[in-house]
Amino acid sequence: MSRIAEILLPLPVPEAFDYAEPEGMDLSPGALVSVPLGSRTLTGVVAALRDGQGGNRPLKPVLERLTGLALPPTTLAFVLWAARYSVDVPGAALSIALRGARAPRPRQERRLQASGAVPARTTPARSRVLAAAQEPISGPDLAIAAQVSAGVIKGLVDDGALNVILIDPDPGFGVPDLALTGAQLNPSQAASAKVLTGLVQTGGFSAVLLDGVTGSGKTEVYLEAAAATLAQDPTAQVLVLLPEIALTQAVLARFEQRFGARPGEWHSAIALPRRRQLWEAVADGSCRIVVGARSALFLPFTNLKLIIVDEEHDGSYKQEEGFIYQARDLAVVRAKLENALVVLASATPSMETLWNAESGRYRWLKLSARHGAAVLPDIDLIDLRSTALEAGRWLSLPLVQAMAETYGRGEQSLLFLNRRGYAPLVLCKACGERMTAPDTESWLVEHRYTGRLICHLTGFSMPKPKTCPHCGASDSLVSIGPGVERVEEEVKERFPEARVEVFSSDTVHSAEAARELVARMTAGEIDILVATQAAAKGHNFPNLTLVGVVDADLGLRGGDLRAAERTFQLLVQASGRAGRHERAGRALLQTYLPEHEVMQALKAQDRDGFMAAEMAERELAKLPPFGRLAAVIASGPDIPALDAYVQALAAAVPNAEGVEVFGPADAPQALVRGRRRKRFLVRADRSVDLQGFLSAWRARAKVPNSVRVVFDVDPYSFL
Ligand SMILES: [Zn+2]
């Protein structure tokens, strides 16, 4: 009797499709298959198999089982869990899990090796070639080694004296050497490493917060947990998640140093064939350590025993487009499904994680001392109300003086401003018009390097016009406020001799470029680095002793749930860049709000006090982690259709205890790419099944074709 295969496809459809299993194909859950859908052939995964006749549609046969490719049961379970949690269809999560499997296979490389057969004719050149080709070698390398032309080599191939071998290209990772030992740990590190090693040996699920100030040496501690995991079980695998591609090179290097081999690397900048190789190596267990961005969480690990989420507080773990998920939270879920240990590391843990640690759900390991001789930098506030900035300048005199002293001692400064480009706003001084994109209500940001005005929301860009598009006045457009490029301009005017660089996503386009800039800063080849948040994380610059925060208030404006928390975290990270080695460091924060609790807590270096105050406020308002939030964003170009839909949705809110629905209201970003946007905000008590509520609500209103609706559980962006 033939079976019905339920196939999940990476498509926005609510359920698996039924197909007939051909005789002898012998499918099992998790197997990757190709199936026909309409006129297309798609790659899908077997979710389940059942005996019987009649499926949910006329049955077509599965075309092919893709050999060597399968999702392990826990990976499949994780995909389904993530989809339900995000109130999305399984296909959206599945497409992330299959990204590597659907990537093109790498092209095989040609190697030559002496076959042992004696060539028809022997010459000195031919003998040199055969001597140099005892091991497989590429044609060009062989020509160089034997100092012969390509023709000589081709003749030997034709004679059968050289075999042509096709091999897979180097996958970029190696086998970890477990005989190597780690760095000398200080007592605080050693105590934490011992606890983690103990948890690895005990086995099973547990979650740990590894909490230590910047520079306390968290990486060395989790490296020991990784070593214990790999040693405990010869097939165990380790996953390290990082919030930024720019950080991966440094962490890869640490792992390579510790284990004598590079880990697998997974993020959007890795070429597709290389991702295919890694996907397969993770699935067959030959890759044992992966360092990657959030989507690495969806790789097909067969025996994942340790997950590390470094800089766990970082907002970049929240994926905001396509399939919406919070990788830190899903890492804990995956660890549970895998019966694994998960370590969340941070100097400034998120409110959610701290709450879990305080309530005993997570084990809490504190690293107190800064590693080696380094001490935390002094943090001082510069009150911009009493220390006014000169017109058109963004650096106050006390900051400039500190920079001059630092430069004079041959040490480095980092100026931090979380704003790309030259100026965040361009307006016409004749008519007051602000430059905006034609289809989006957001200011255009001036970029001087490219001479363009760019919308950071949509990527729209145009050359900076010579005359005002509104009133036609010429030379009337003025740049308002600073971005990193403008701060760089001021620094170069003030310090004409200094070597100044900008670190932002506009100047550093690739992981390689980031690695290069970080290496130059580390080597002392830059005196003053002007940087966005890309440089505020994780890097270790031995000669950096001064951090200046140009606009410490920036993150506090706009006021969303996490504004204060995020500002605090970012500024601690930024000021923590200073004085990580022998020299004492100093951080100066320019602010108009010196009394603000964030500024006071930073000055006093009182993280726990700040978090406790913030926690009390959240508890009072029953906001996360004391309650749960979800956002519903509907958008569309057709305003009547959009209004009708949001009204229908408002009328269809299910009755539920402990849930409040606010809205619909215009979103703060009310027009993006020609689409109007409306928002609802849902607040629920922790006891409520929020996903069940949202799914039921979603099903009650039919979405018009022109409207797109997104359910965002635990929103981070309130735009
Ligand atoms: Zn004008």
Side-chain angles (χ1 to χ4, degrees), residues 428 430-431 433 468 470-471 476:
C428 170
C431 72
E433 177 79 0
C468 171
H470 191 66
C471 71
S476 67

Side-chain angles (χ1 to χ4, degrees), residues 71-316:
L71 285 189
T74 47
T75 306
L76 184 56
F78 174 68
V79 164
L80 296 174
W81 200 100
R84 182 184 154 8
Y85 187 82
S86 298
V87 197
D88 206 335
V89 294
L94 183 67
S95 71
I96 303 176
L98 294 187
R99 209 173 275 160
R102 295 158 80 202
R105 200 174 268 295
R107 193 178 302 167
Q108 289 195 310
E109 292 169 4
R110 192 169 172 269
R111 295 282 185 276
L112 299 168
Q113 187 174 20
S115 65
V118 181
R121 186 166 55 81
T122 306
T123 65
R126 287 188 149 204
S127 301
R128 286 200 305 276
V129 170
L130 293 178
Q134 291 305 304
E135 297 293 322
I137 183 170
S138 76
D141 287 349
L142 182 54
I144 292 166
Q147 298 192 307
V148 298
S149 70
V152 178
I153 293 172
K154 185 174 181 304
L156 284 167
V157 173
D158 293 344
D159 269 10
L162 283 177
N163 282 338
V164 176
I165 308 163
L166 291 177
I167 61 161
D168 284 333
D170 179 5
F173 62 85
V175 178
D177 179 352
L178 301 182
L180 296 174
T181 52
Q184 186 71 41
L185 301 182
N186 67 30
S188 173
Q189 287 176 311
S192 292
K194 194 175 165 206
V195 173
L196 292 180
T197 306
L199 290 171
V200 167
Q201 281 155 359
T202 312
F205 167 74
S206 50
V208 176
L209 166 59
L210 182 59
D211 175 1
V213 294
T214 53
S216 59
K218 292 183 286 294
T219 312
E220 286 90 351
V221 174
Y222 71 62
L223 278 168
E224 292 320 298
T229 303
L230 299 175
Q232 170 87 358
D233 173 345
T235 65
Q237 293 169 303
V238 174
L239 169 64
V240 184
L241 291 180
L242 298 169
E244 296 262 337
I245 300 178
L247 285 179
T248 49
Q249 299 310 314
V251 173
L252 285 167
R254 300 286 282 279
F255 270 84
E256 188 171 5
Q257 200 176 25
R258 176 66 182 78
F259 296 108
R262 256 173 105 77
E265 182 179 359
W266 178 273
H267 51 71
S268 58
I270 298 291
L272 288 173
R274 178 59 75 87
R275 283 199 250 176
R276 168 78 180 243
Q277 278 180 295
L278 186 68
W279 196 95
E280 291 181 6
V282 168
D284 71 19
S286 59
C287 182
R288 299 192 67 198
I289 311 175
V290 175
V291 173
R294 59 196 173 209
S295 63
L297 199 53
F298 289 82
L299 283 169
F301 292 96
T302 49
N303 190 22
L304 184 58
K305 282 292 152 223
L306 173 64
I307 306 176
I308 291 146
V309 184
D310 204 351
E311 311 283 354
E312 67 84 28
H313 62 276
D314 198 296
S316 311

Side-chain angles (χ1 to χ4, degrees), residues 550-564:
V550 177
D551 183 353
D553 311 335
L554 187 57
L556 292 173
R557 295 179 203 127
D560 63 52
L561 168 71
R562 295 183 179 79

Side-chain angles (χ1 to χ4, degrees), residues 637-653:
D638 177 351
I639 296 173
L642 178 64
D643 282 341
Y645 173 68
V646 294
Q647 289 311 327
L649 206 54
V653 174

Side-chain angles (χ1 to χ4, degrees), residues 360-706:
R361 283 182 198 83
Y362 296 174
R363 196 184 273 253
W364 194 351
L365 298 179
K366 294 178 197 177
L367 290 177
S368 45
R370 261 201 155 191
H371 194 49
V375 289
L376 270 177
D378 285 332
I379 299 178
D380 285 310
L381 306 178
I382 298 174
D383 183 349
L384 290 181
R385 294 169 311 184
S386 53
T387 314
L389 297 173
E390 296 166 51
R393 300 280 193 162
W394 314 101
L395 305 176
S396 63
L397 272 178
L399 179 53
V400 172
Q401 271 163 12
M403 289 169 69
E405 287 159 20
T406 306
Y407 179 55
R409 286 194 304 268
E411 296 169 4
Q412 294 168 304
S413 302
L414 170 72
L415 290 181
F416 177 71
L417 176 63
N418 205 11
R419 216 190 241 150
R420 293 161 50 204
Y422 183 82
L425 169 64
V426 176
L427 62 74
C428 170
K429 65 185 177 201
C431 72
E433 177 79 0
R434 295 164 173 207
M435 298 296 124
T436 57
D439 63 346
T440 301
E441 277 173 3
S442 107
W443 297 341
L444 290 174
V445 176
E446 181 181 5
H447 286 243
R448 283 260 162 115
Y449 286 154
T450 55
R452 298 184 78 83
L453 303 181
I454 299 175
C455 172
H456 285 183
L457 211 57
T458 64
F460 167 88
S461 83
M462 60 189 253
K464 188 180 176 186
K466 296 264 181 286
T467 58
C468 171
H470 191 66
C471 71
S474 53
D475 293 324
S476 67
L477 297 181
V478 289
S479 313
I480 307 295
V484 280
E485 292 176 13
R486 197 170 201 177
V487 171
E488 179 201 20
E489 183 180 85
E490 180 176 344
V491 170
K492 282 182 166 164
E493 279 168 30
R494 291 187 185 270
F495 299 95
E497 308 289 312
R499 297 161 298 174
V500 183
E501 291 284 350
V502 173
F503 191 151
S504 84
S505 57
D506 298 301
T507 57
V508 179
H509 298 281
S510 62
E512 180 56 24
R515 196 195 58 74
E516 227 167 80
L517 191 64
V518 167
R520 285 175 49 216
M521 184 71 182
T522 308
E525 291 166 19
I526 297 167
D527 299 311
I528 301 167
L529 184 64
V530 183
T532 61
Q533 64 178 359
K537 297 170 186 173
H539 301 302
N540 203 342
F541 303 126
N543 199 34
L544 174 69
T545 57
L546 175 68
V547 168
V549 177
V550 177
D551 183 353
D553 311 335
L554 187 57
L556 292 173
R557 295 179 203 127
D560 63 52
L561 168 71
R562 295 183 179 79
E565 180 190 352
R566 267 203 292 236
T567 300
F568 183 80
Q569 288 162 344
L570 194 55
L571 295 181
V572 168
Q573 292 286 331
S575 54
R577 294 308 106 207
R580 287 168 67 93
H581 287 256
E582 295 74 23
R583 290 170 238 257
R586 195 176 170 204
L588 294 173
L589 276 51
Q590 299 193 138
T591 174
Y592 288 98
L593 304 166
E595 300 87 12
H596 195 286
E597 53 172 4
V598 169
M599 302 306 155
Q600 288 300 317
L602 284 165
K603 185 171 160 52
Q605 306 212 354
D606 182 11
R607 182 196 86 183
D608 294 344
F610 170 75
M611 292 302 264
E614 186 74 11
M615 197 82 91
E617 272 184 35
R618 298 260 189 105
E619 185 163 20
L620 208 62
K622 293 197 269 179
L623 289 172
F626 301 94
R628 305 186 60 199
L629 289 182
V632 179
I633 302 113
S635 66
D638 177 351
I639 296 173
L642 178 64
D643 282 341
Y645 173 68
V646 294
Q647 289 311 327
L649 206 54
V653 174
N655 274 323
E657 283 282 315
V659 182
E660 298 161 276
V661 176
F662 306 98
D666 284 336
Q669 295 285 359
L671 179 69
V672 176
R673 293 190 179 95
R675 302 175 75 89
R676 284 278 153 198
R677 300 171 80 245
K678 300 270 187 184
R679 285 182 69 102
F680 291 89
L681 186 67
V682 181
R683 195 213 65 81
D685 292 345
R686 288 193 63 85
S687 56
V688 170
D689 172 12
L690 180 59
Q691 278 76 13
F693 173 86
L694 295 172
S695 302
W697 188 21
R698 178 175 211 156
R700 286 185 177 192
K702 188 176 169 350
V703 187
N705 282 336
S706 67

